[in-house]
Amino acid sequence: MSDLESCEKVFIPVHTETKPHCGHFYLYIIHVKNEEIEIWDSLLDTCVAETDRDENTRKLLLAMEKLFVNVAFTGFRSKMKTDILKQPNGFDCGIFVMKFTEQSYNYVKINPSFQFGSEKERDDLALKLLNSDLNQEKRNLYGKARRHYAQKQDGNKRLRVDRVIRQDRLEEGSSKDYILPTTDLIGRNFQNDAKQIWEWIMGDKVSAIGIWEMGGSGKTALATHIHDKLLEEANGDIKVIWLTVSQNIDIYKLQKVIAKSIKLDISDEPRKRIARKLFQTFKEMKNCVIILDDVWDHFSLKDVGFPMSDNRIKLILTTRIGEVCQGMGCEEVIKVKPLDEEDSRTLFDEFFGLFREELSSEVENISWFVENIAQNVVQECEGFPLAIVRIATSMKGKTKAVEWRHMLECLKNLGNGQYEMDKWVFPVLRSSYDFLTNKLQKFLLYWVLRIGTNNLCFEDNIHYFIRRFVYESIDETMELSVQYDEGYNMLLKLKNHSMLDYDDYGYLIINKFLRVLATGIAEDTGKIMRKAYKNLIEIPSDDQWKEDLQQVFLTGNKIQAIPCGTCPNCTQLSMLLLNGNKELNHITDEFFNNMPALKTLDLSETAIWCLPKSVSNLKYLITLLLSRCTELRDIPSLGKLKRLISLDLSWAAITEAPVGLESLVSLRWLSLLEIDEWVISPLLISKLINLECLELGDAQCLTDATVQSIQGLKKLEVICAYFHDISIFNTFVKFMAENRVIRSYQLTLYSALYDYLGGLDDQIKREYSMKKIILKGMNFKNREPVVLPRDIKELFITACFLGTGVRSPCNILSYAHNNNPPQIELCISDCEDVECLCCCSCPFCSSSQLVGRLHLWKMDNLKDLVSPSADSLHQSALFSQLTDLQILYCESMNTLMPFELLALLQNLRTIWVERCEQMKEIVGDVHPVMEHTIKLPMLTSLTLLVMPELESVCTGILHCPSLRKFSANYCKKLNPPRIAISNDESVPPMKKNSSGTYYWQK
């Protein structure tokens, strides 16, 4: 419009209000060259009065003249266009305006090619808007609607579009009283989740339900299924309200939409009174289900006006953030699981299957080809519904083999770009990333870059990872333990935000597509060279080492050497990770000469035997990690590294202290684990006055001088140490009892023989925030008792020999002080001469040590948990706080526990007994003739596996009102267990199959 004279026509749709709450559209067409304006109105003069139209025309021309001063619009002639198609109803004026605009160049009223049915056009337009690539509000709505019809039901107009997966966002704050677009629920987990939610809604025990998982996982589809089922089956008895909340919560806006949906006028109400009015209206309702979709933060339901204490009002919410469910008071929460391979394939076929016949004959074996591609797609999508649907939808109509091969290759190499993912999948995940705080974003990017495609297994590797994060991004103003706790909390936050999760095998994993997205973000926001786990055998070429590089990731490759003459000019490089290059045995001395800003250097798990001399000049180095460099013997002077905070020399082959170690006054973490040929002097340790965390191998703990050397370390909070000598171990424990500064420890007492046989290496697990004692491979015959700290939380005893005449491990233990100890986790394994766990009469047993979790494994001669001769069992509180009991491979036990002991276990939650092949009964009975009832009010799970001689769980009735699962697998002699789960102590029937299996789940 900037060059108006070149325009032939200008189209201006106008909307005017004809009466309150009623409006009308008509069209102005301005012919600039002819100086004429036409009025196209599908109702002619029947809706807008001539005087009103003339006034609107005058105002329009005045406005145009002000915008375009070179054209005298007020002098244009105006006329009503009369030879046009008239609308058959009173509500399609907008459709006619669009069609008039579209057809005005060749419009001939009597020509059939220019006629149209307004209702069909309206329906087509709705579908076009829903499926348009430009429709950002509906960007996740897949496929086209196959059927579209309107029908009357219960006086409400409802719209249904079948077999379209509904993953889009409804208009913010919308409320729908009609059937929503959805698809069949695919997968056993989805079916089970839907069934469970329906039961909760129909019952009277649950009023608030949360559905939680990452974007694109099917949360909204699940909620939509429930919504539609309520409308279809509740026969109008239940009012259903759907609200899409999204990120910016506006309580007042929610209240207005809710009020409108329940036909409540709040227009004149002060905002402070709206919640009260809504509350009262809901209280008067018979039944109502409120569905809050896409909730990003918790808010007060009371502030909105929901009476959630009333079971007639049910709440269902979907969210990507687990803590939102807790914050909103959800009594039951469903975490949507990824699809398994079979269900993933079913979903793919659902969206692609009808188009298989369109594949051309160019593909030699269509059946094999499609099956193979589909299977690969399923595997690459890792059970993520959004990705599966987008790929299947995008391949509809693709008939060339090369198109399919290219699609699969793009999916395997997402980092190189893939249109469907960039357009549909990554924006959904990006919104979750953008919602994170800056610290959480940094932690996630670190996770992705550091771990690569690997996953972390169980808690121990996770603690190790968090330690690395703390060391490599250390805050010099905060204590290490505080930073560690913050790091662990950030990991939990990411899990809570559906960014990380555990798989069925205990691995902490990240969604493949989220990993690719995060990698791209990291590479876009920083100068990064990321070539981790690429099987490189040589260092990247000189042209790849840009001067403005900030981080270089070369972890896990097969680089063998960094040859002479290699000296990258990277003046801004702050992090260099070469760890895991196990064949790297040489780094040229000048390699680090032009890296003056380097702060983090990780050479762990390499085969270098000499640290390059240029490391000595890295004055800004904060973290130097040389763990498991088992050939490393030569370290240059560290005296200039005054800013060094973290130094890991564990498992190095050095035989003497590095020159300048005593000058590292900023050092806060030092690891000297498994350095066998160098005994650090107590004087050197005492000079490291800022140490907060110290890890010492047995070579550093040979004398009491070690205890004396750390007495002056006033900031020491965390210690990990290994001992061979019981006396030195006990001295150290007593020192800790007097030194209140140390608040986290792992102390291991083990025999040299056990270490020599390889029994220690894989057991080393280092973490903060722990209080653990480990006894391994020790022979306690004629030895002094082991002294335990009074604040101990975990005690592990493995492969120890108690000595002649000693039947229970309690006889070799004592405490440093007499104050009451806390609840502990006790794990004992491979102790062949242990016959009973405790005697209930020794000083240790009478000290009221409370066992919270008990794990016994491979105790070949263990017969009893407590000595049969114990006469004070009824007075002992040893097991009164026991919550979890696990016993495996204890083949000499005939009875798990006596009746008297079980009566004490009122806090017991889980029992797991496996492969105790001589066990005949779980609960022993001193009065086998009398029937009795034992109540375990907290027990939720009882599992028995491979117990060929097991005959009974209990001769009486085991009353477990909280029990949710009972299973007995391969217990062929087991009689039907009598377990009561209701308050009236009625026993549900249990049947055994041919393999000797009972199973019951609530």
Side-chain angles (χ1 to χ4, degrees), residues 328-347:
M328 300 288 285
C330 294
E331 298 140 313
E332 296 289 351
V333 177
I334 285 180
K335 193 173 190 301
V336 178
K337 296 179 180 179
L339 298 175
D340 61 25
E341 192 165 318
E342 179 182 347
D343 293 335
S344 296
R345 180 58 187 276
T346 303
L347 182 61

Side-chain angles (χ1 to χ4, degrees), residues 546-572:
K546 307 296 183 181
E547 185 174 357
D548 59 351
L549 269 177
Q550 296 174 356
Q551 295 179 323
V552 174
F553 297 85
L554 296 172
T555 301
N557 285 298
K558 299 179 181 179
I559 299 171
Q560 299 178 4
I562 300 178
C564 295
T566 307
C567 184
N569 185 26
C570 300
T571 57
Q572 299 181 34

Side-chain angles (χ1 to χ4, degrees), residues 23-25 42-43 86-100 116-123 125:
H24 176 60
F25 277 105
S42 59
L43 293 178
K86 295 181 181 180
Q87 61 168 301
N89 51 45
F91 50 79
D92 270 339
C93 49
I95 293 292
F96 275 76
V97 166
M98 287 187 288
K99 299 301 292 186
F100 287 158
F116 53 87
S118 60
E119 291 193 7
K120 180 181 182 302
E121 291 293 335
R122 174 160 31 85
D123 294 346
L125 177 63

Side-chain angles (χ1 to χ4, degrees), residues 679-716:
V679 178
I680 190 171
S681 72
L683 180 61
L684 193 156
I685 292 180
S686 64
K687 291 183 178 180
L688 305 177
I689 57 174
N690 285 306
L691 274 182
E692 297 177 19
C693 177
L694 179 61
E695 297 180 345
L696 300 172
D698 57 84
Q700 322 305 326
C701 300
L702 296 176
T703 67
D704 291 341
T706 303
V707 176
Q708 299 171 6
S709 66
I710 66 175
Q711 287 180 347
L713 303 179
K714 303 301 182 181
K715 296 183 180 181
L716 189 65

Side-chain angles (χ1 to χ4, degrees), residues 898-911:
F899 170 81
E900 295 89 345
L901 176 59
L902 188 64
L904 295 173
L905 307 184
Q906 296 299 291
N907 292 295
L908 191 61
R909 296 179 184 274
T910 66
I911 298 176

Side-chain angles (χ1 to χ4, degrees), residues 368-510:
W368 175 88
F369 180 79
V370 173
E371 291 297 319
N372 184 58
I373 291 291
Q375 198 62 31
N376 279 277
V377 166
V378 164
Q379 294 171 357
E380 291 297 329
C381 289
E382 298 182 354
F384 188 39
L386 179 57
I388 295 170
V389 170
R390 285 316 315 168
I391 293 296
T393 303
S394 70
M395 296 312 293
K396 290 179 178 180
K398 299 293 192 298
T399 60
K400 306 295 184 182
V402 65
E403 293 177 295
W404 284 85
R405 288 195 298 268
H406 178 68
M407 179 277 295
L408 184 58
E409 186 62 29
C410 288
L411 194 55
K412 289 181 177 179
N413 299 280
L414 286 173
N416 298 328
Q418 209 281 338
Y419 176 74
E420 288 297 320
M421 300 299 107
D422 291 342
K423 181 181 177 184
W424 298 101
V425 176
F426 291 146
V428 175
L429 302 179
R430 180 63 190 249
S431 61
S432 293
Y433 171 84
D434 290 338
F435 194 72
L436 299 174
T437 63
N438 290 337
K439 279 191 174 183
L440 285 176
Q441 289 180 356
K442 180 181 178 182
F443 188 86
L444 178 65
L445 297 184
Y446 178 86
W447 178 283
V448 170
L449 293 173
R450 199 68 159 88
I451 301 302
T453 58
N454 296 329
N455 294 316
L456 293 185
C457 181
F458 304 109
E459 289 295 306
D460 306 299
N461 291 343
I462 292 169
H463 283 290
Y464 180 75
F465 168 82
I466 294 173
R467 282 160 33 97
R468 286 296 174 95
F469 173 75
V470 171
Y471 305 152
E472 294 171 17
S473 57
I474 198 161
D475 184 342
E476 300 179 37
T477 65
M478 294 174 61
E479 295 178 354
L480 284 176
S481 58
V482 174
Q483 293 181 68
Y484 174 85
D485 290 343
E486 183 182 34
Y488 198 87
N489 186 65
M490 285 193 290
L491 183 143
L492 295 177
K493 279 280 187 182
L494 288 179
K495 183 177 181 297
N496 191 269
H497 279 250
S498 307
M499 298 293 201
L500 302 174
D501 202 0
Y502 288 97
D503 67 7
D504 294 337
Y505 302 98
Y507 285 86
L508 192 61
I509 59 175
I510 182 171

